Amino acid sequence: MATLDSKIPSGPLADKWRKHKTEIKLVNPANKRKYHVVVVGAGLAGASAAASLADLGYQVTCVVFHDSPRRAHSIAAQGGINAAKNYQNDGDSVYRLFYDTIKGGDYRAREANVHRLAEVSVNIIDQCAALGVPFAREYGGLLANRSFGGAQVSRTFYARGQTGQQLLLGAYSSLSRCVGQNTVKLVTEHEMSDLVVVDGHAKGIITRDLKTGTLHRFAADAVIVATGGYGNVFNLSTYARGSNVTASWRAYKRGACFANPCYTQIHPTCIPVSGDYQSKLTLMSESLRNDGRIWVPKKKEDVKKAPASIPEADRDYFLERIYPSFGNLAPRDVSSRAAKRMCDEGRGVGETGLGVYLDFADAIQRYGKQAAARANLHDPTAEKILELGEAAVAERYGNLFDIYKEITDESAYKQPMRIYPAVHYTMGGLWVDYNLMSNVPGLFVLGEANFSDHGANRLGASALMQGLADGFFVIPYTIGDYLAGQKPGSRPSPEHAAFAAAEKNVADLITKLMSIKGKEPVAYYHKKLGKIMWDHCGMARTKEGLTKGIALIQELRAEFWRNVNVPGSAENMNQALEKACRVADYLELGELMCRDALTREESCGGHFREEYQHPDGECLRDDEKFAHVAAWEFQGEGKEPLRNTEPLNYETVKMSVRSYK
Amino acid sequence: MVATAHSAPSTTPISITLRVWRQAGPAQPGRFVEYPAKDLNPNMSFLEMLDVVNDGLEGKGEDPIAFAHDCREGICGTCSLVINGKPHGPHKGVASCQTYMRSFANGDVIVVEPFRAKPFPVIKDLVTDRSAFDAIQQAGGFVTVRAGSACDANAIPVPKDDADLAMDAAQCIGCGACVAACKNASAMLFVSAKVSHLGLLPQGQAERDSRVLNMVAKMDELGFGNCTNQYECSAACPKLISHDFIARMNRDYIGASFRQAFKPKSTSTAGGA
């Protein structure tokens, strides 16, 4: 049984991080250059960590599977990044950001981690502005903000609809500076295929060069995994096609506990599925809910009618109706489930009936009239108002409306968008302590790949915040606490038997996949798995469904290993083999997710068990039995994993029923 | 509200023939190979069409067509196809992944090639090595800021117009279409976008001269050609980045060259106590 010591510092919540920073061990500058840290992944968390550690003087190698670190999927985040700057003078504070995040996570995150996140959020904005991130500005030259779900203040900083891109390119620029100055060694197109554990400590990784197929060994004093989330287990999601769980999964199989794997975020505003050829779902940013109003027809017989022909009285603006105080900015899990309920009632729109409207007609009118007033136009014509209003909406969300048009061939200026929930983020991940170290000493996990800050549901604009917090402002302090206990120069050589064994493990897996030569392409299994996960471990889960899901996955996995066809050779670029390696891991992870969802007999955040709900359909938590982290421990192939628990002690916030009404 | 009919896009299937560049490795010769693609939903993306063709090949045990892709929403810059002679295909302002089959007619023959430029060697089929772009960024595409040393973000106001223009330049996704579209394989649109993004902001001023000098030197060293003002680059750019930034970079470069030549430099080598 794994030891899960969260190492949360004692003392009052607001002092914990400051106190911890003064008490943890330091590594002196002359010794820092003797330690080698391997960072896997170069998204917000990985790139910022690699650059920060190199600036401190550590030897750093950064390994990415992409052809460039700038491709990491952080780049696709649209809406923004939260920070408790209170530049808007609207009552924000570190405590409020902390509280909103804890409540948003349905009281299933660690208080101490979340408070630290809120504290360093302000430093992130400073750091990114200094790096030249072109945040949106007011006319006076100061930073602009907008609102996001689950908050009643405007604390979200943004760069048009491309905030993730601009922040990632900021982190990438720091990483590039270090690579150019030879303080970081960058290794691209290498996928981490195994973790090397020596005497119980993580001391290196095995990678596969995706261009040549060769396997490589990297020895290190510490390993950082920052490889993002695992939503692609659903096949269809807003993740990039290449996003994968392999690094985390191989670490799990080497002893790192996987925490709360069933906590997945289903984002309410995505473009609906249109056909079985589809490879991904596209997000329409949450920021649209600042101005868009979500509705379905009140009457089932209206669902196929043109939306403009349905009079106001026959529309159900269901988020505004059910959650009057947060309205269209209710949190993601709550909004997604509400949309699903409307569609389940037969009031969904679009060809499949799985869609709701996101309507900008009111916003266009409002902005149009404001713009006309500003321009001193008296009695403007309806056409003029429409023109000015559309221009104002285009300035705010133009790129999103363009994306919508490309995909659907429809103009959201002229008719409402159709949206439906889709898999977007995973709150679960490898278990880490307050120092972001897993239960395998020397293995640190940052960003979406860890589990610690978002509980059972993440609020919008908090993923970017967490990635950069972990990389720029947490790991530079906490990694020293571990390395100070490791003798400089003590890291094992890549010739150590543990490296040879791990390399053989990877080589055997690849040989096995290449030799099946069955009848079906990898995508066939990925699609089937995705369907099982969506049907049985998606937005609504039941004991019966999850039990069936586990059986179906086991069956599918056995068939995959009998009948998949991976053509070509393992000795050069082979994209079919890359996919096969990743899908093989998803076929195991999917089962663990179902198992986790099955044993968590309550509903919380993104985890909704139909058996556990309030009469109005909201989540019914069981704090008596489930106010804990479930951290699963691998017990060997074919054996049931062990469920460890870490209790969540709420010292400051009172756990209560989460209400947005 | 304007009453518009609820127009659903057409779903009548189309069939096309693909003529694709196949090349087993960097040192091997390449050639065009034809593949039929039948009964495609016109609302499928170009890359999803390639997925369908590849699933068919894989099921038969044949080597699938290698192509670079990741986010499939036009922001990561990984996808890099030349479709019917145009980098990123027929439409302006979109990446290959945002090209949909409704742009093609039943019976079309569609030619698909990799981005072609000497600094972007082919790795396999449609996948090229664009690490030269990273090397240019590493030469100067940054503002040096150690984590933890920044002042309050609002301590440095940035005029909105400057911030907006900087953002226009910063939108570059680093795909390389500008290079592929240019007869000289010039990277000047790419380099000028980064030089302008940081040069327009007060945060970028301290390293403004060294940045443009070092990035341009690296660009030349890697074998990218010069700009001869044809503007094919901005026409092919999925983010429609303006070639005006090239002029801005040239101005910065000349100024920086002069300043570097005539600037008095400190000769002190003294260290601290």
Side-chain angles (χ1 to χ4, degrees), chain A residues 66 87 132 172 242 280 407, chain B residues 70 73 102 134 146 152 197:
Chain A
H66 290 103
Y87 283 160
Y172 163 76
K280 90 157 259 158
I407 294 175
Chain B
D70 198 29
E73 52 186 288
R102 69 177 83 94
D134 287 322
R146 280 166 176 272
D152 185 90
H197 155 215

Side-chain angles (χ1 to χ4, degrees), chain A residues 99-334:
Chain A
Y99 178 79
D100 288 347
T101 309
I102 281 282
K103 177 184 169 191
D106 214 352
Y107 306 94
R108 288 293 176 264
R110 274 198 205 125
E111 274 191 334
N113 286 58
V114 177
H115 198 275
R116 174 175 67 188
L117 179 67
E119 283 173 62
V120 303
S121 69
V122 296
N123 306 110
I124 294 169
I125 301 304
D126 299 343
Q127 174 74 12
C128 291
L131 285 172
V133 171
F135 285 120
R137 301 212 168 234
E138 312 280 1
Y139 282 100
L142 303 180
L143 291 161
N145 289 109
R146 60 185 170 202
S147 308
F148 252 62
Q152 289 173 315
V153 294
S154 286
R155 62 161 74 100
T156 304
F157 295 79
Y158 63 101
R160 294 188 192 154
Q162 291 131 280
T163 317
Q165 180 199 25
Q166 293 310 315
L167 293 173
L168 181 73
L169 293 181
Y172 163 76
S173 73
S174 284
L175 175 62
S176 295
R177 169 175 59 79
C178 295
V179 175
Q181 293 163 353
N182 288 316
T183 57
V184 171
K185 184 170 180 282
L186 178 65
V187 180
T188 57
E189 290 183 274
H190 275 235
E191 184 141 288
M192 172 174 157
S193 302
D194 210 345
L195 179 74
V196 180
V197 180
V198 177
D199 300 331
H201 288 239
K203 289 295 167 194
I205 60 169
I206 304 294
T207 66
R208 180 170 181 272
D209 182 334
L210 302 180
K211 286 196 286 191
T212 64
T214 49
L215 301 182
H216 294 256
R217 304 172 183 186
F218 292 87
D221 295 281
V223 174
I224 294 176
V225 165
T227 49
Y230 48 88
N232 268 342
V233 67
F234 290 88
N235 185 38
L236 284 181
S237 73
T238 66
Y239 284 68
R241 283 310 281 169
S243 300
N244 67 81
V245 75
T246 293
S248 296
W249 195 251
R250 305 294 164 89
Y252 164 73
K253 290 181 122 181
R254 292 283 174 192
C257 287
F258 208 116
N260 302 331
C262 80
Y263 289 169
T264 42
Q265 173 157 88
I266 316 278
H267 195 296
T269 55
C270 300
I271 300 177
V273 177
S274 59
D276 61 3
Y277 53 80
Q278 207 157 351
S279 63
K280 90 157 259 158
L281 299 172
T282 302
L283 174 73
M284 288 286 103
S285 166
E286 180 160 312
S287 60
L288 292 171
R289 291 199 272 146
N290 271 294
D291 284 310
R293 299 179 70 197
I294 293 179
W295 63 278
V296 289
K298 277 186 184 163
K299 294 181 266 181
K300 279 187 209 173
E301 54 271 30
D302 284 353
V303 295
K304 297 289 173 199
K305 285 188 186 162
S309 70
I310 301 173
E312 209 49 43
D314 289 341
R315 299 176 176 195
D316 178 10
Y317 294 91
F318 56 91
L319 288 179
E320 297 171 29
R321 170 173 59 82
I322 310 172
Y323 309 103
S325 45
F326 283 72
N328 291 296
L329 281 172
R332 292 176 177 175
D333 54 336
V334 172

Side-chain angles (χ1 to χ4, degrees), chain A residues 581-643:
Chain A
C581 289
R582 293 166 186 171
V583 170
D585 291 338
Y586 290 139
L587 282 163
E588 295 177 358
L589 166 73
E591 183 182 334
L592 187 71
M593 289 169 70
C594 291
R595 220 173 261 285
D596 186 43
L598 185 63
T599 45
R600 187 166 283 280
E601 294 174 327
E602 63 163 354
S603 294
C604 56
H607 169 65
F608 189 74
R609 283 281 299 265
E610 287 190 359
E611 305 95 315
Y612 309 100
Q613 53 179 311
H614 288 285
D616 59 359
E618 303 292 339
C619 283
L620 180 60
R621 285 199 328 264
D622 184 346
D623 293 338
E624 283 280 302
K625 272 170 44 197
F626 290 100
H628 63 235
V629 178
W632 295 85
E633 188 182 352
F634 184 65
Q635 298 290 298
E637 300 291 348
K639 292 191 185 140
E640 284 205 10
L642 190 67
R643 188 179 191 271

Side-chain angles (χ1 to χ4, degrees), chain B residues 140 142 195-196 198-201 203-214 248 251-253 256 259:
Chain B
F142 47 78
V195 164
S196 303
L198 297 176
L200 277 159
L201 298 172
Q203 290 87 346
Q205 297 311 307
E207 291 161 297
R208 184 169 173 177
D209 286 0
S210 59
R211 178 180 309 117
V212 67
L213 294 173
N214 291 338
R248 177 179 281 278
R251 209 159 57 231
D252 263 20
Y253 183 82
R259 278 190 292 278

Side-chain angles (χ1 to χ4, degrees), chain B residues 41-60:
Chain B
N41 183 322
N43 295 313
M44 99 186 350
S45 75
F46 199 84
L47 301 191
E48 285 165 349
M49 179 273 294
L50 287 177
D51 289 341
V52 170
V53 171
N54 274 345
D55 287 349
L57 292 174
E58 282 180 41
K60 289 189 283 181

